Amino acid sequence: MNRPAATARQPAGAPWTALPRVRLALLPTPLMRAERLEAALGCGLLLVKRDDLIGFGMAGNKARPLEFLLGAARARGAEVFVTGGGPGSNFCAAAAQAARSVGMGCELVIWGEPDSPNLALAVAAGARLRPTGGSQREAVDRQVAARLAELGPRGFGVPRGGSTPLGAVGFAAAAAELAAQLAAPPSVIVLPVGSGGSIAGLLAGLAAVDLEVPVLGVSVSRPPEEIAARVHALAAGCAALLGTTPPRPDACTFVDARGSGFGIASELERERARLALHTEGLLLDETYGAEALSVAVDRLADGAGAVVWWHTGGILPAVRTMMKGTA
Ligand SMILES: Cc1ncc(COP(=O)(O)O)c(C=O)c1O
C-alpha cells in the first residue's frame, strides 16, 4: 500500500530530515481553538494540538516516534520489531500496525493480564504476544533485550513506550510543526507524560527551532523528580543525535498526576473530559487525556494567557471507558 506523500512543513535542512523515516502520520495535525469548551469553562484561550487525528490507526502521539524507529529498523534490514509494555499500551498497538505497514513482523512483551482493546488490535494486526507471566513492568525491558539477542540482526527493538533518543526525534519534528502553526507563543504547552519520550523530543525540538515556551509535563506514572531526570537525559540524547543545542533544564516542569492512581481520573477530571466531548466532540482517555486537559484548564484558571494542550490520542481506551458507561 502506498503511504501518502509527506506533507509536514519542516524547516529546510532541519536536522531530522537526514534520518531514515517511514511516513505513517498525516502531518501537520491540526491546531484548533476550543471556543465552546472555553465558554463552558469560563476560561481563557485553549488551543488543542490534535494528535488524536494523526491519521494512522489509533496511534495518536505514538505514530511520531514510530516513523523514526521503523525508519531505522528498515534501514538496517531488520525483519521483526520487538517492544513491549502494559496490557493497555497504546504504543504496542501502534507498533504492531506500523510494523505491518512496512512488511515487518512484530513481537510484544507484555506484563500483566493481556486483555485490552489495544492488545486485541495488535494481535489482529499479526503481532505475537510474549507475556512476562508477572506484574512487574521492569521485566518487559529485560525480556525485550533477551529476545533481541536471540534474533540478532533480524530484530530491531525498543524499550517500553519507544522512548529512546531516536524515538524522541518524532516529537522534535513536532515542535517545528507546532511553531509553524502558532500565531504567537502561548504561555505554556501542556502534555501528558508516561515514559517521557514525547516531552523529551518536544523540548529538544523547541530548543532546535529556538522557540522559548515553558512546557508543563503531566506525569501520570512516575514521581516528578524521577520523570524529570529521565526526560532531561532523553532530551539531551535526542539533541546530541540531531547535533542541536540541548534544552535548558528549566525549560519544563512536571505536575504529579498519579493522585487517583494510574489510569483513573478524578471526578473533576472526568467532568472536564465530559465537557470536552459535549462541547467540542473531543474524546479523552482517563490515563492521559483527562488528566492533561484538567491541568491545562487549571493553568488558564490561574491566569495563563493562552495554553496549548497536546491531545495525544488514547482513543481505544477512551472508547472502552465510554462503553463501560463511566465516561
Ligand atoms: C495516549 C498517550 N498519551 C501520552 C502518552 C505519553 O507519552 P510518552 O510515553 O512519550 O511520555 C502515551 C504513552 O503511551 C499515550 O499512549
Coordinates of all heavy atoms in Angstrom, one line a residue, residues 176-248:
A176 N 8.7 21.7 15.6 CA 8.8 22.6 14.5 C 7.4 22.8 13.8 O 7.1 23.9 13.3 CB 9.9 22.1 13.5
E177 N 6.7 21.7 13.8 CA 5.4 21.7 13.2 C 4.5 22.7 14.0 O 3.8 23.5 13.4 CB 4.8 20.2 13.3 CG 3.5 20.0 12.7 CD 3.0 18.6 13.0 OE1 3.8 17.6 12.6 OE2 1.9 18.4 13.5
L178 N 4.5 22.6 15.3 CA 3.7 23.5 16.1 C 4.2 24.9 15.9 O 3.3 25.8 15.8 CB 3.8 23.1 17.6 CG 3.1 24.0 18.6 CD1 1.6 23.9 18.4 CD2 3.5 23.6 20.0
A179 N 5.5 25.1 15.9 CA 6.0 26.5 15.8 C 5.4 27.2 14.5 O 5.1 28.4 14.5 CB 7.5 26.5 15.8
A180 N 5.3 26.4 13.4 CA 4.8 26.9 12.2 C 3.3 27.2 12.2 O 2.8 28.0 11.4 CB 5.1 25.9 11.0
Q181 N 2.6 26.6 13.2 CA 1.2 26.9 13.3 C 0.8 28.0 14.2 O -0.4 28.5 14.2 CB 0.5 25.6 13.8 CG 0.5 24.4 12.8 CD 0.0 23.1 13.4 OE1 0.4 22.8 14.5 NE2 -0.8 22.4 12.7
L182 N 1.7 28.4 15.1 CA 1.3 29.4 16.1 C 1.4 30.8 15.6 O 2.4 31.1 15.0 CB 2.3 29.2 17.3 CG 2.1 28.0 18.2 CD1 3.3 27.8 19.2 CD2 0.8 28.1 19.0
A183 N 0.4 31.6 15.9 CA 0.4 33.0 15.5 C 1.3 33.7 16.5 O 2.0 34.7 16.2 CB -1.0 33.6 15.5
A184 N 1.3 33.3 17.8 CA 2.1 33.9 18.8 C 2.4 32.8 19.8 O 1.7 31.9 20.0 CB 1.3 35.0 19.5
P185 N 3.6 33.0 20.5 CA 3.9 31.9 21.5 C 2.9 31.9 22.6 O 2.4 32.9 23.1 CB 5.3 32.4 22.1 CG 5.8 33.4 21.1 CD 4.6 34.0 20.4
P186 N 2.4 30.7 23.0 CA 1.4 30.6 24.1 C 2.2 30.8 25.5 O 3.4 30.8 25.5 CB 0.9 29.1 24.0 CG 2.1 28.4 23.3 CD 2.8 29.4 22.5
S187 N 1.4 30.8 26.6 CA 2.0 31.0 27.9 C 2.7 29.6 28.3 O 3.7 29.6 29.0 CB 1.0 31.3 29.0 OG 0.0 32.1 28.5
V188 N 2.1 28.5 27.8 CA 2.6 27.2 28.2 C 2.1 26.1 27.3 O 1.0 26.3 26.7 CB 2.2 26.9 29.7 CG1 0.7 26.8 29.9 CG2 2.9 25.7 30.3
I189 N 2.9 25.1 27.1 CA 2.4 23.9 26.4 C 2.2 22.8 27.4 O 3.2 22.5 28.2 CB 3.4 23.4 25.3 CG1 3.7 24.6 24.3 CG2 2.9 22.2 24.6 CD1 4.9 24.3 23.4
V190 N 1.0 22.2 27.5 CA 0.8 21.1 28.5 C 0.6 19.8 27.7 O -0.1 19.7 26.8 CB -0.6 21.4 29.2 CG1 -0.9 20.3 30.2 CG2 -0.4 22.8 30.0
L191 N 1.4 18.8 28.2 CA 1.1 17.5 27.6 C 1.3 16.4 28.6 O 2.1 16.5 29.6 CB 2.0 17.2 26.3 CG 3.4 16.8 26.4 CD1 3.9 16.3 25.0 CD2 4.3 18.0 26.8
P192 N 0.6 15.2 28.4 CA 0.7 14.1 29.3 C 2.0 13.4 29.1 O 2.5 13.3 28.0 CB -0.5 13.2 29.0 CG -0.8 13.6 27.6 CD -0.4 15.0 27.3
V193 N 2.5 12.9 30.2 CA 3.8 12.2 30.2 C 3.7 10.8 30.8 O 3.3 10.6 31.9 CB 4.9 13.0 31.0 CG1 6.2 12.3 31.0 CG2 5.0 14.4 30.4
G194 N 4.2 9.8 30.0 CA 4.3 8.4 30.5 C 5.7 8.0 30.6 O 6.4 8.3 31.6
S195 N 6.2 7.5 29.5 CA 7.6 7.1 29.5 C 8.6 8.2 29.2 O 9.8 8.1 29.3 CB 7.9 5.9 28.5 OG 7.4 6.3 27.3
G196 N 8.0 9.4 28.8 CA 8.8 10.6 28.7 C 9.4 10.9 27.3 O 10.0 12.0 27.1
G197 N 9.3 10.1 26.3 CA 9.9 10.3 25.0 C 9.2 11.5 24.3 O 9.9 12.3 23.6
S198 N 7.9 11.6 24.4 CA 7.3 12.7 23.7 C 7.7 14.1 24.2 O 8.1 14.9 23.4 CB 5.7 12.6 23.8 OG 5.3 11.3 23.4
I199 N 7.6 14.3 25.5 CA 8.0 15.6 26.0 C 9.5 15.8 25.8 O 9.9 17.0 25.5 CB 7.6 15.7 27.5 CG1 7.7 17.2 27.9 CG2 8.4 14.9 28.4 CD1 7.0 17.5 29.3
A200 N 10.3 14.8 25.9 CA 11.8 15.0 25.7 C 12.0 15.5 24.3 O 12.8 16.4 24.1 CB 12.5 13.7 25.9
G201 N 11.4 14.9 23.3 CA 11.6 15.3 21.9 C 11.1 16.7 21.7 O 11.7 17.5 21.0
L202 N 9.9 17.0 22.3 CA 9.4 18.3 22.2 C 10.3 19.4 22.7 O 10.6 20.4 22.1 CB 8.0 18.4 23.0 CG 7.3 19.8 23.0 CD1 6.8 20.1 21.6 CD2 6.2 19.8 23.9
L203 N 11.0 19.1 23.9 CA 11.9 20.0 24.4 C 13.1 20.2 23.5 O 13.6 21.3 23.3 CB 12.4 19.6 25.8 CG 11.3 19.6 26.9 CD1 11.7 18.8 28.1 CD2 11.0 21.0 27.3
A204 N 13.6 19.1 23.0 CA 14.8 19.2 22.1 C 14.4 19.9 20.8 O 15.2 20.8 20.3 CB 15.3 17.8 21.7
G205 N 13.2 19.7 20.3 CA 12.8 20.4 19.1 C 12.6 21.9 19.3 O 12.9 22.7 18.5
L206 N 12.0 22.3 20.5 CA 11.8 23.7 20.7 C 13.1 24.4 20.8 O 13.3 25.5 20.3 CB 11.0 23.9 22.0 CG 9.5 23.4 22.0 CD1 8.9 23.5 23.4 CD2 8.7 24.3 21.0
A207 N 14.1 23.7 21.5 CA 15.4 24.4 21.5 C 16.0 24.5 20.1 O 16.6 25.5 19.8 CB 16.3 23.5 22.5
A208 N 15.8 23.4 19.3 CA 16.4 23.4 18.0 C 15.8 24.5 17.1 O 16.5 25.1 16.3 CB 16.2 22.1 17.3
V209 N 14.5 24.8 17.3 CA 13.9 25.9 16.4 C 13.9 27.2 17.2 O 13.3 28.2 16.7 CB 12.5 25.6 15.9 CG1 12.5 24.3 15.1 CG2 11.5 25.4 17.1
D210 N 14.5 27.2 18.4 CA 14.7 28.5 19.2 C 13.4 29.1 19.6 O 13.2 30.3 19.5 CB 15.5 29.5 18.3 CG 16.4 30.3 19.2 OD1 16.5 30.0 20.4 OD2 17.0 31.3 18.7
L211 N 12.4 28.3 19.9 CA 11.1 28.8 20.4 C 11.1 28.6 21.9 O 11.1 27.5 22.4 CB 10.0 28.0 19.8 CG 8.6 28.4 20.2 CD1 8.3 29.9 19.8 CD2 7.5 27.5 19.5
E212 N 11.1 29.7 22.7 CA 11.1 29.6 24.1 C 9.7 29.7 24.7 O 9.1 30.8 24.8 CB 11.9 30.8 24.7 CG 13.4 30.4 24.9 CD 14.1 31.3 25.8 OE1 13.5 31.7 26.8 OE2 15.3 31.6 25.5
V213 N 9.1 28.5 25.0 CA 7.8 28.4 25.6 C 7.9 27.5 26.8 O 8.5 26.4 26.6 CB 6.7 27.9 24.6 CG1 5.4 27.8 25.3 CG2 6.7 28.7 23.4
P214 N 7.5 27.8 28.0 CA 7.5 26.8 29.0 C 6.7 25.6 28.7 O 5.6 25.7 28.1 CB 6.9 27.6 30.2 CG 6.8 29.0 29.8 CD 6.8 29.1 28.3
V215 N 7.2 24.5 29.1 CA 6.4 23.2 28.9 C 6.1 22.6 30.2 O 6.9 22.6 31.1 CB 7.3 22.2 28.0 CG1 6.6 20.9 27.9 CG2 7.6 22.8 26.7
L216 N 4.9 22.1 30.3 CA 4.4 21.5 31.6 C 4.0 20.1 31.3 O 3.1 19.8 30.5 CB 3.2 22.3 32.1 CG 2.6 21.9 33.4 CD1 3.7 22.0 34.5 CD2 1.5 22.9 33.8
G217 N 4.8 19.2 31.9 CA 4.5 17.7 31.7 C 3.6 17.2 32.9 O 3.8 17.5 34.0
V218 N 2.6 16.5 32.5 CA 1.6 15.9 33.4 C 2.0 14.5 33.6 O 1.6 13.6 32.8 CB 0.2 16.1 32.9 CG1 -0.8 15.5 33.8 CG2 -0.1 17.6 32.6
S219 N 2.7 14.2 34.7 CA 3.3 12.9 34.8 C 2.2 11.9 35.4 O 1.8 12.1 36.5 CB 4.5 12.9 35.7 OG 5.1 11.6 35.9
V220 N 1.9 10.9 34.6 CA 0.8 10.0 35.1 C 1.3 8.8 35.8 O 0.5 8.1 36.4 CB -0.1 9.6 33.9 CG1 -0.7 10.8 33.1 CG2 0.6 8.7 32.9
S221 N 2.6 8.4 35.7 CA 3.0 7.2 36.3 C 4.3 7.3 37.1 O 4.6 6.3 37.8 CB 3.2 6.1 35.2 OG 4.1 6.6 34.2
R222 N 5.0 8.4 37.1 CA 6.3 8.5 37.8 C 6.3 9.7 38.7 O 5.8 10.8 38.2 CB 7.5 8.5 36.9 CG 7.7 7.1 36.2 CD 8.9 7.3 35.2 NE 9.3 6.0 34.7 CZ 8.8 5.4 33.6 NH1 7.9 5.9 33.0 NH2 9.3 4.2 33.2
P223 N 7.0 9.7 39.8 CA 7.1 10.9 40.6 C 7.9 12.0 39.8 O 8.7 11.7 39.0 CB 7.9 10.5 41.8 CG 8.1 9.0 41.7 CD 7.7 8.6 40.4
P224 N 7.5 13.3 40.0 CA 8.1 14.3 39.2 C 9.7 14.3 39.1 O 10.2 14.5 38.1 CB 7.6 15.6 39.9 CG 6.4 15.2 40.5 CD 6.5 13.8 40.9
E225 N 10.4 14.1 40.3 CA 11.8 14.1 40.2 C 12.4 13.0 39.3 O 13.3 13.2 38.6 CB 12.5 13.9 41.6 CG 11.8 14.6 42.8 CD 10.5 13.9 43.2 OE1 10.5 12.7 43.5 OE2 9.4 14.6 43.1
E226 N 11.7 11.8 39.4 CA 12.2 10.7 38.6 C 12.0 10.9 37.1 O 12.9 10.8 36.3 CB 11.4 9.4 39.0 CG 11.9 8.2 38.3 CD 11.1 7.0 38.7 OE1 10.6 6.8 39.8 OE2 10.9 6.1 37.8
I227 N 10.8 11.5 36.8 CA 10.5 11.7 35.3 C 11.3 12.8 34.8 O 11.8 12.8 33.7 CB 9.0 11.9 35.1 CG1 8.7 11.8 33.6 CG2 8.4 13.2 35.6 CD1 8.9 10.4 33.0
A228 N 11.6 13.8 35.7 CA 12.4 15.0 35.2 C 13.8 14.5 34.8 O 14.3 14.9 33.7 CB 12.5 16.0 36.3
A229 N 14.4 13.7 35.6 CA 15.8 13.2 35.3 C 15.8 12.4 34.0 O 16.6 12.5 33.2 CB 16.3 12.4 36.5
R230 N 14.8 11.6 33.9 CA 14.7 10.7 32.7 C 14.5 11.5 31.4 O 15.1 11.3 30.4 CB 13.4 9.8 33.0 CG 13.2 8.7 32.0 CD 12.0 7.9 32.4 NE 11.5 7.2 31.2 CZ 11.9 6.0 30.9 NH1 12.7 5.4 31.7 NH2 11.5 5.4 29.8
V231 N 13.6 12.5 31.5 CA 13.3 13.4 30.4 C 14.5 14.2 30.0 O 14.8 14.4 28.8 CB 12.0 14.3 30.7 CG1 11.9 15.4 29.7 CG2 10.8 13.4 30.7
H232 N 15.2 14.8 31.0 CA 16.4 15.6 30.6 C 17.4 14.7 29.9 O 18.0 15.2 28.9 CB 16.9 16.3 31.9 CG 16.0 17.3 32.4 ND1 15.4 18.3 31.5 CD2 15.5 17.6 33.6 CE1 14.6 19.1 32.2 NE2 14.6 18.7 33.5
A233 N 17.6 13.5 30.4 CA 18.6 12.6 29.8 C 18.2 12.3 28.3 O 19.0 12.3 27.4 CB 18.8 11.4 30.6
L234 N 16.9 12.0 28.2 CA 16.4 11.7 26.8 C 16.5 12.9 25.9 O 16.8 12.7 24.7 CB 14.9 11.2 26.9 CG 14.6 9.8 27.2 CD1 13.1 9.6 27.5 CD2 15.0 8.9 26.0
A235 N 16.1 14.0 26.4 CA 16.1 15.3 25.6 C 17.6 15.6 25.2 O 17.8 16.0 24.0 CB 15.5 16.4 26.3
A236 N 18.5 15.4 26.1 CA 19.9 15.7 25.8 C 20.4 14.7 24.7 O 21.1 15.0 23.8 CB 20.8 15.6 27.0
G237 N 20.0 13.4 24.9 CA 20.4 12.4 23.9 C 19.8 12.7 22.5 O 20.5 12.5 21.5
C238 N 18.6 13.2 22.5 CA 17.9 13.5 21.2 C 18.7 14.7 20.6 O 19.0 14.6 19.4 CB 16.5 13.8 21.5 SG 15.5 14.3 20.1
A239 N 19.0 15.7 21.3 CA 19.7 16.9 20.8 C 21.1 16.4 20.3 O 21.5 16.9 19.2 CB 19.8 18.0 21.8
A240 N 21.7 15.5 21.0 CA 23.1 15.1 20.6 C 23.0 14.3 19.2 O 23.8 14.5 18.3 CB 23.7 14.2 21.6
L241 N 21.9 13.5 19.1 CA 21.7 12.8 17.9 C 21.5 13.7 16.7 O 21.9 13.5 15.6 CB 20.5 11.9 18.1 CG 20.1 10.9 17.1 CD1 21.2 9.8 17.0 CD2 18.8 10.2 17.5
L242 N 20.8 14.8 17.0 CA 20.4 15.8 15.9 C 21.5 16.8 15.7 O 21.5 17.6 14.8 CB 19.1 16.5 16.3 CG 17.8 15.6 16.3 CD1 16.7 16.4 16.9 CD2 17.5 15.1 14.9
G243 N 22.5 16.9 16.7 CA 23.5 17.9 16.6 C 23.0 19.3 16.8 O 23.4 20.3 16.3
T244 N 21.9 19.4 17.7 CA 21.3 20.7 18.0 C 21.6 21.1 19.5 O 22.1 20.2 20.3 CB 19.8 20.7 17.8 OG1 19.3 19.6 18.5 CG2 19.5 20.5 16.3
T245 N 21.3 22.3 19.8 CA 21.5 22.8 21.2 C 20.6 22.0 22.2 O 19.4 22.0 21.9 CB 21.1 24.3 21.3 OG1 21.6 24.9 20.2 CG2 21.7 24.9 22.6
P246 N 21.1 21.4 23.3 CA 20.2 20.8 24.2 C 19.3 21.8 24.9 O 19.7 22.9 25.1 CB 21.2 20.1 25.2 CG 22.5 20.8 25.0 CD 22.5 21.4 23.7
P247 N 18.1 21.3 25.3 CA 17.2 22.3 26.0 C 17.8 22.6 27.4 O 18.5 21.8 28.0 CB 15.9 21.5 26.1 CG 16.3 20.0 25.9 CD 17.5 20.0 25.1
R248 N 17.4 23.8 27.9 CA 17.8 24.1 29.2 C 17.1 23.3 30.3 O 15.9 23.0 30.0 CB 17.5 25.6 29.5 CG 18.3 26.6 28.6 CD 18.4 27.9 29.3 NE 17.2 28.3 30.0 CZ 16.4 29.3 29.6 NH1 16.6 29.9 28.5 NH2 15.3 29.6 30.3

